[in-house]
Amino acid sequence: MTRKFFVGGNWKMNGDKKSLGELINTLNSAKISGDVEVVCGAPSIYLDFARSKLDAKIGVAAQNCYKVAKGAFTGEISPAMIKDCGVGWVILGHSERRHVFGESDELIGQKVAHALESGLGVIACIGEKLDEREAGITEKVVFEQTKVIADNVKDWSKVVLAYEPVWAIGTGKTASPQQAQEVHDKLRQWIKANVSEAVASSVRIIYGGSVTGATCKELASQKDVDGFLVGGASLKPEFVEIINAKA
Protein backbone atom coordinates (compact mmCIF):
# COMPACT_ATOMS: atom_id res chain seq x y z
CA MET A 1 0.00 0.00 0.00
CA THR A 2 1.13 3.56 -0.51
CA ARG A 3 1.81 5.55 2.61
CA LYS A 4 0.98 9.25 2.40
CA PHE A 5 4.14 11.32 2.75
CA PHE A 6 4.14 13.17 6.10
CA VAL A 7 6.15 16.30 6.89
CA GLY A 8 6.09 17.74 10.40
CA GLY A 9 7.67 21.05 11.32
CA ASN A 10 8.82 21.28 14.95
CA TRP A 11 9.12 24.99 15.76
CA LYS A 12 10.45 24.14 19.25
CA MET A 13 10.78 27.17 21.59
CA ASN A 14 11.10 29.69 18.76
CA GLY A 15 9.20 32.55 17.21
CA ASP A 16 6.71 35.21 18.20
CA LYS A 17 3.42 36.27 16.66
CA LYS A 18 5.20 38.47 14.13
CA SER A 19 7.73 35.92 12.85
CA LEU A 20 5.37 32.95 13.06
CA GLY A 21 2.68 35.02 11.32
CA GLU A 22 5.10 35.65 8.44
CA LEU A 23 5.99 31.94 8.27
CA ILE A 24 2.29 31.02 8.26
CA ASN A 25 1.65 33.44 5.39
CA THR A 26 4.49 31.79 3.43
CA LEU A 27 3.01 28.33 4.03
CA ASN A 28 -0.55 29.41 3.23
CA SER A 29 0.49 30.88 -0.11
CA ALA A 30 2.88 28.04 -1.05
CA LYS A 31 2.05 25.45 -3.66
CA ILE A 32 1.93 22.25 -1.63
CA SER A 33 1.42 18.83 -3.20
CA GLY A 34 -1.88 17.20 -2.28
CA ASP A 35 0.04 13.97 -1.75
CA VAL A 36 1.68 15.29 1.43
CA GLU A 37 0.27 15.63 4.93
CA VAL A 38 1.80 18.70 6.63
CA VAL A 39 1.67 19.37 10.37
CA CYS A 40 3.33 22.28 12.23
CA GLY A 41 4.35 21.86 15.87
CA ALA A 42 3.77 25.21 17.59
CA PRO A 43 4.76 26.27 21.12
CA SER A 44 1.77 25.64 23.39
CA ILE A 45 1.16 29.34 23.95
CA TYR A 46 0.73 29.80 20.17
CA LEU A 47 -1.41 26.73 19.40
CA ASP A 48 -4.60 28.78 19.12
CA PHE A 49 -2.81 31.43 17.05
CA ALA A 50 -1.30 28.87 14.66
CA ARG A 51 -4.56 26.97 14.22
CA SER A 52 -6.58 30.13 13.55
CA LYS A 53 -4.08 31.50 11.01
CA LEU A 54 -2.89 28.40 9.15
CA ASP A 55 -4.81 27.13 6.15
CA ALA A 56 -7.10 24.22 7.10
CA LYS A 57 -5.11 21.84 4.87
CA ILE A 58 -2.11 22.19 7.20
CA GLY A 59 -2.35 20.44 10.55
CA VAL A 60 -1.10 21.76 13.89
CA ALA A 61 0.61 19.77 16.65
CA ALA A 62 1.42 20.51 20.25
CA GLN A 63 5.04 19.75 21.13
CA ASN A 64 4.19 17.82 24.28
CA CYS A 65 1.31 17.03 26.65
CA TYR A 66 0.70 15.32 29.97
CA LYS A 67 -0.69 11.83 30.64
CA VAL A 68 -4.00 12.87 32.23
CA ALA A 69 -6.91 15.14 31.24
CA LYS A 70 -6.70 17.71 34.05
CA GLY A 71 -5.43 18.31 37.55
CA ALA A 72 -2.79 19.91 39.74
CA PHE A 73 0.05 19.76 37.21
CA THR A 74 1.37 23.32 37.00
CA GLY A 75 2.81 24.22 33.61
CA GLU A 76 1.47 21.15 31.79
CA ILE A 77 -1.18 20.93 29.06
CA SER A 78 -3.54 18.04 28.39
CA PRO A 79 -4.79 16.42 25.16
CA ALA A 80 -8.26 17.76 26.03
CA MET A 81 -6.90 21.34 26.02
CA ILE A 82 -5.03 20.73 22.77
CA LYS A 83 -8.22 19.47 21.12
CA ASP A 84 -10.14 22.43 22.54
CA CYS A 85 -7.83 24.69 20.47
CA GLY A 86 -8.83 22.76 17.34
CA VAL A 87 -5.44 21.06 17.21
CA GLY A 88 -5.27 17.41 16.13
CA TRP A 89 -1.70 16.26 16.80
CA VAL A 90 0.95 16.07 19.51
CA ILE A 91 4.69 15.31 19.35
CA LEU A 92 5.74 12.92 22.13
CA GLY A 93 9.07 11.46 23.19
CA HIS A 94 11.22 14.03 21.39
CA SER A 95 14.88 13.58 22.31
CA GLU A 96 14.90 16.99 23.98
CA ARG A 97 12.06 15.83 26.25
CA ARG A 98 13.99 12.64 26.96
CA HIS A 99 17.49 14.06 27.42
CA VAL A 100 17.01 17.70 28.48
CA PHE A 101 13.91 17.20 30.64
CA GLY A 102 14.55 13.63 31.75
CA GLU A 103 11.32 12.01 30.54
CA SER A 104 11.45 8.22 30.88
CA ASP A 105 10.31 5.65 28.33
CA GLU A 106 7.54 4.71 30.77
CA LEU A 107 6.19 8.27 31.04
CA ILE A 108 6.32 8.71 27.26
CA GLY A 109 4.36 5.46 26.86
CA GLN A 110 1.70 6.71 29.30
CA LYS A 111 1.46 10.00 27.41
CA VAL A 112 1.08 8.16 24.09
CA ALA A 113 -1.74 6.01 25.50
CA HIS A 114 -3.64 8.99 26.93
CA ALA A 115 -3.19 11.19 23.85
CA LEU A 116 -4.50 8.43 21.57
CA GLU A 117 -7.43 7.67 23.89
CA SER A 118 -8.25 11.39 23.74
CA GLY A 119 -8.38 11.30 19.94
CA LEU A 120 -5.13 13.08 19.11
CA GLY A 121 -2.75 11.88 16.42
CA VAL A 122 0.70 11.17 17.87
CA ILE A 123 4.10 11.82 16.31
CA ALA A 124 6.15 9.47 18.50
CA CYS A 125 9.91 10.08 18.48
CA ILE A 126 12.69 7.54 18.97
CA GLY A 127 16.43 7.68 18.39
CA GLU A 128 19.89 6.86 19.67
CA LYS A 129 22.62 9.15 21.02
CA LEU A 130 26.08 9.35 19.43
CA ASP A 131 27.77 7.16 22.07
CA GLU A 132 25.04 4.54 21.56
CA ARG A 133 25.56 4.49 17.79
CA GLU A 134 29.33 4.26 18.24
CA ALA A 135 28.85 1.39 20.71
CA GLY A 136 26.86 -0.45 18.03
CA ILE A 137 23.60 -0.53 20.04
CA THR A 138 21.42 1.63 17.78
CA GLU A 139 18.94 -1.19 17.17
CA LYS A 140 18.74 -2.17 20.84
CA VAL A 141 17.99 1.44 21.86
CA VAL A 142 15.39 2.20 19.17
CA PHE A 143 13.66 -1.17 19.55
CA GLU A 144 13.34 -0.67 23.32
CA GLN A 145 11.89 2.82 22.81
CA THR A 146 9.55 1.55 20.09
CA LYS A 147 8.34 -1.34 22.26
CA VAL A 148 7.18 1.03 25.02
CA ILE A 149 5.29 3.09 22.43
CA ALA A 150 3.82 0.00 20.73
CA ASP A 151 2.63 -1.40 24.08
CA ASN A 152 0.50 1.73 24.46
CA VAL A 153 -1.05 1.86 20.97
CA LYS A 154 -4.40 0.30 20.09
CA ASP A 155 -5.03 2.18 16.84
CA TRP A 156 -1.92 2.62 14.68
CA SER A 157 -3.75 4.74 12.09
CA LYS A 158 -3.26 7.74 14.42
CA VAL A 159 0.48 7.18 14.95
CA VAL A 160 3.47 8.44 12.98
CA LEU A 161 6.83 7.10 14.13
CA ALA A 162 9.69 9.61 13.90
CA TYR A 163 13.23 8.23 13.89
CA GLU A 164 15.58 10.97 15.00
CA PRO A 165 19.20 10.04 15.66
CA VAL A 166 20.02 12.38 18.54
CA TRP A 167 23.53 12.97 17.18
CA ALA A 168 22.00 14.52 14.04
CA ILE A 169 19.56 16.94 15.71
CA GLY A 170 20.60 20.58 15.44
CA THR A 171 24.20 19.54 14.80
CA GLY A 172 24.21 19.96 11.04
CA LYS A 173 25.07 16.25 10.79
CA THR A 174 22.49 14.23 8.91
CA ALA A 175 22.31 10.47 8.85
CA SER A 176 23.17 9.45 5.32
CA PRO A 177 20.16 8.36 3.25
CA GLN A 178 21.55 4.82 3.56
CA GLN A 179 21.86 5.06 7.37
CA ALA A 180 18.31 6.40 7.63
CA GLN A 181 16.92 3.73 5.29
CA GLU A 182 18.71 0.98 7.21
CA VAL A 183 17.16 1.95 10.57
CA HIS A 184 13.72 2.57 9.04
CA ASP A 185 13.82 -0.86 7.38
CA LYS A 186 14.82 -2.54 10.67
CA LEU A 187 12.05 -0.67 12.50
CA ARG A 188 9.51 -1.86 9.96
CA GLN A 189 10.77 -5.43 10.38
CA TRP A 190 10.48 -5.09 14.17
CA ILE A 191 6.88 -3.85 13.84
CA LYS A 192 6.08 -6.72 11.49
CA ALA A 193 7.44 -9.24 14.01
CA ASN A 194 6.03 -7.62 17.16
CA VAL A 195 2.82 -5.87 16.09
CA SER A 196 1.56 -7.08 12.71
CA GLU A 197 2.39 -7.19 9.04
CA ALA A 198 -0.53 -4.86 8.26
CA VAL A 199 0.72 -2.20 10.67
CA ALA A 200 4.30 -2.61 9.41
CA SER A 201 3.21 -1.88 5.85
CA SER A 202 0.88 1.02 6.72
CA VAL A 203 2.59 2.93 9.54
CA ARG A 204 4.56 5.98 8.44
CA ILE A 205 8.13 6.12 9.68
CA ILE A 206 9.56 9.60 9.19
CA TYR A 207 13.14 10.85 9.59
CA GLY A 208 14.30 13.78 11.69
CA GLY A 209 17.74 15.23 12.22
CA SER A 210 19.05 18.33 10.44
CA VAL A 211 16.85 17.83 7.37
CA THR A 212 17.33 20.71 4.91
CA GLY A 213 16.34 21.69 1.41
CA ALA A 214 19.71 20.30 0.31
CA THR A 215 19.35 16.84 1.93
CA CYS A 216 15.60 16.21 1.66
CA LYS A 217 15.26 14.86 -1.88
CA GLU A 218 17.69 11.98 -1.53
CA LEU A 219 16.32 11.07 1.91
CA ALA A 220 12.77 11.15 0.53
CA SER A 221 13.72 8.73 -2.23
CA GLN A 222 14.49 5.94 0.27
CA LYS A 223 11.93 3.13 0.26
CA ASP A 224 11.10 3.24 3.98
CA VAL A 225 11.44 6.99 4.63
CA ASP A 226 7.85 8.25 4.65
CA GLY A 227 8.53 11.89 5.42
CA PHE A 228 10.34 14.14 7.87
CA LEU A 229 10.18 15.83 11.23
CA VAL A 230 12.00 19.08 10.56
CA GLY A 231 13.50 21.33 13.23
CA GLY A 232 15.32 24.56 12.38
CA ALA A 233 14.53 24.47 8.67
CA SER A 234 10.78 24.43 9.42
CA LEU A 235 11.09 28.08 10.51
CA LYS A 236 12.51 29.09 7.12
CA PRO A 237 10.98 29.41 3.63
CA GLU A 238 12.96 26.29 2.58
CA PHE A 239 10.42 24.27 4.60
CA VAL A 240 8.21 24.42 1.49
CA GLU A 241 10.99 22.75 -0.52
CA ILE A 242 11.21 19.98 2.09
CA ILE A 243 7.41 19.50 2.06
CA ASN A 244 7.59 19.02 -1.71
CA ALA A 245 10.65 16.73 -1.57
CA LYS A 246 8.79 13.94 -3.36
CA ALA A 247 6.88 16.14 -5.79
Side-chain angles (χ1 to χ4, degrees):
M1 68 175 286
T2 53
R3 297 180 293 268
K4 188 169 189 177
F5 206 67
F6 185 103
V7 179
N10 181 7
W11 297 347
K12 306 192 181 183
M13 196 178 75
N14 291 299
D16 50 29
K17 284 185 178 176
K18 182 176 183 294
S19 64
L20 294 177
E22 289 165 2
L23 176 63
I24 287 167
N25 285 339
T26 300
L27 292 173
N28 286 349
S29 58
K31 193 174 183 310
I32 291 173
S33 164
D35 297 332
V36 186
E37 186 168 1
V38 183
V39 174
C40 292
S44 57
I45 198 164
Y46 295 132
L47 285 172
D48 229 343
F49 175 78
R51 182 61 286 165
S52 65
K53 301 285 186 194
L54 268 169
D55 191 292
K57 70 176 182 284
I58 298 173
V60 176
Q63 296 174 12
N64 192 27
C65 68
Y66 199 49
K67 63 181 181 179
V68 294
K70 60 181 180 179
F73 303 105
T74 302
E76 291 289 333
I77 62 171
S78 71
M81 293 170 174
I82 294 166
K83 286 186 72 180
D84 195 38
C85 291
V87 170
W89 289 89
V90 63
I91 300 168
L92 292 172
H94 192 280
S95 65
E96 287 151 9
R97 299 305 315 173
R98 293 176 187 270
H99 304 303
V100 180
F101 299 102
E103 292 190 7
S104 66
D105 282 353
E106 184 189 18
L107 175 61
I108 291 159
Q110 291 167 337
K111 289 180 175 192
V112 167
H114 181 60
L116 289 169
E117 282 159 13
S118 306
L120 286 179
V122 171
I123 301 167
C125 303
I126 54 173
E128 82 283 11
K129 295 188 295 200
L130 184 60
D131 59 338
E132 293 166 336
R133 176 165 276 267
E134 288 176 342
I137 57 170
T138 292
E139 283 174 51
K140 179 177 181 287
V141 172
V142 297
F143 290 169
E144 281 172 5
Q145 292 172 346
T146 305
K147 183 182 186 317
V148 179
I149 291 162
D151 287 347
N152 287 282
V153 176
K154 293 188 181 83
D155 177 7
W156 281 89
S157 70
K158 304 279 284 185
V159 179
V160 171
L161 209 51
Y163 168 61
E164 297 201 297
V166 181
W167 48 272
I169 296 175
T171 59
K173 288 181 187 171
T174 312
S176 71
Q178 293 71 32
Q179 284 174 314
Q181 166 59 25
E182 185 186 0
V183 178
H184 283 228
D185 175 50
K186 290 199 167 125
L187 278 167
R188 214 175 286 288
Q189 290 176 26
W190 185 93
I191 294 166
K192 184 178 174 179
N194 294 276
V195 184
S196 77
E197 191 167 350
V199 169
S201 68
S202 64
V203 71
R204 290 175 290 183
I205 306 176
I206 63 175
Y207 171 77
S210 302
V211 177
T212 64
T215 59
C216 65
K217 276 209 176 331
E218 200 184 344
L219 281 161
S221 71
Q222 303 302 307
K223 183 166 81 78
D224 289 292
V225 175
D226 302 315
F228 305 117
L229 186 56
V230 185
S234 70
L235 292 157
K236 301 172 186 165
E238 75 179 289
F239 186 47
V240 175
E241 208 179 317
I242 297 170
I243 290 168
N244 292 324
K246 268 191 108 87

